[in-house]
Amino acid sequence: MRDLFMNPKLAGVFPQFEPGERLQNVYSFAQTEKRVRDYLVAALNGKITADGNIAVQGKQPAVLSHVRSLQAIIESFINDMPKVVQALRKNAALYLPYATLKQLEDTKTTAAKIKAMRAVMDNFQYNSDLGALNSVKQEAPERFNRNKKAWEKKVGYSGRLKRV
């Protein structure tokens, strides 16, 4: 978790926490707004204008599509903040489809960044090790069980991680 969420090289891929920051289960609106704004700027390859707005390059329909895709992920992330913080405190291991951090650092397109964030949020939805089962999407039990099994197969999950 810390390699992803406390790593300035991955600021464009994941919302960041300062390494020395006191982690809280709930953040103020201002702190949340700043974290979301900083993440959107980085994820959309944008910049903050003099009047505090986010400016991005691209055609409006494409940019809006990316923002809508990011909105759902960001909302899930914020709504599951207590579990995210708990995982950060423990430096919990995640099951991701990436072999190295370098692959994530080299992620440039917004679609690839969304895919990476979804892979993390899937851990909070399906990973039994995190104790957050069905906490992101609130799926019906049958659907959740089917999707959890598919996720476990996809990531090679076989039970609790054994640390060496």
Side-chain angles (χ1 to χ4, degrees):
M1 281 292 292
R2 292 181 190 152
D3 289 342
L4 305 179
F5 291 95
M6 293 182 169
N7 184 344
K9 292 179 181 176
L10 294 176
V13 183
F14 302 108
Q16 295 295 300
F17 294 81
E18 294 298 320
E21 178 179 339
R22 185 178 155 264
L23 297 172
Q24 306 171 93
N25 291 336
V26 179
Y27 287 88
S28 71
F29 180 77
Q31 288 171 307
T32 300
E33 186 178 67
K34 181 185 180 329
R35 182 166 282 127
V36 169
R37 187 191 70 213
D38 292 347
Y39 174 63
L40 280 173
V41 168
L44 296 170
N45 300 317
K47 57 185 170 186
I48 302 289
T49 63
D51 57 350
N53 293 319
I54 299 173
V56 296
Q57 297 275 330
K59 296 186 182 226
Q60 185 178 9
V63 172
L64 285 174
S65 174
H66 291 311
V67 169
R68 286 188 186 111
S69 296
L70 285 166
Q71 178 183 355
I73 292 168
I74 291 168
E75 287 175 355
S76 296
F77 180 79
I78 290 168
N79 290 338
D80 225 21
M81 189 58 72
K83 289 291 183 184
V84 170
V85 167
Q86 182 181 22
L88 273 169
R89 285 182 184 132
K90 291 179 183 177
N91 197 19
L94 302 175
Y95 288 88
L96 299 172
Y98 304 95
T100 66
L101 284 176
K102 182 72 173 139
Q103 285 178 291
L104 288 166
E105 290 172 14
D106 292 341
T107 302
K108 299 296 180 222
T109 68
T110 303
K113 292 172 185 180
I114 291 168
K115 181 180 175 187
M117 191 64 177
R118 277 198 183 122
V120 168
M121 293 312 295
D122 281 350
N123 275 266
F124 287 100
Q125 180 72 2
Y126 304 116
N127 188 342
S128 298
D129 297 342
L130 297 179
L133 300 178
N134 207 11
S135 65
V136 177
K137 299 178 197 168
Q138 296 299 316
E139 299 171 316
E142 303 82 28
R143 184 174 184 169
F144 170 75
N145 288 330
R146 186 175 53 244
N147 290 342
K148 183 178 186 299
K149 285 178 184 167
W151 176 82
E152 288 173 344
K153 184 177 180 181
K154 179 174 120 182
V155 300
Y157 180 84
S158 61
R160 296 193 83 60
L161 286 174
K162 292 181 177 65
R163 297 200 184 243
V164 180

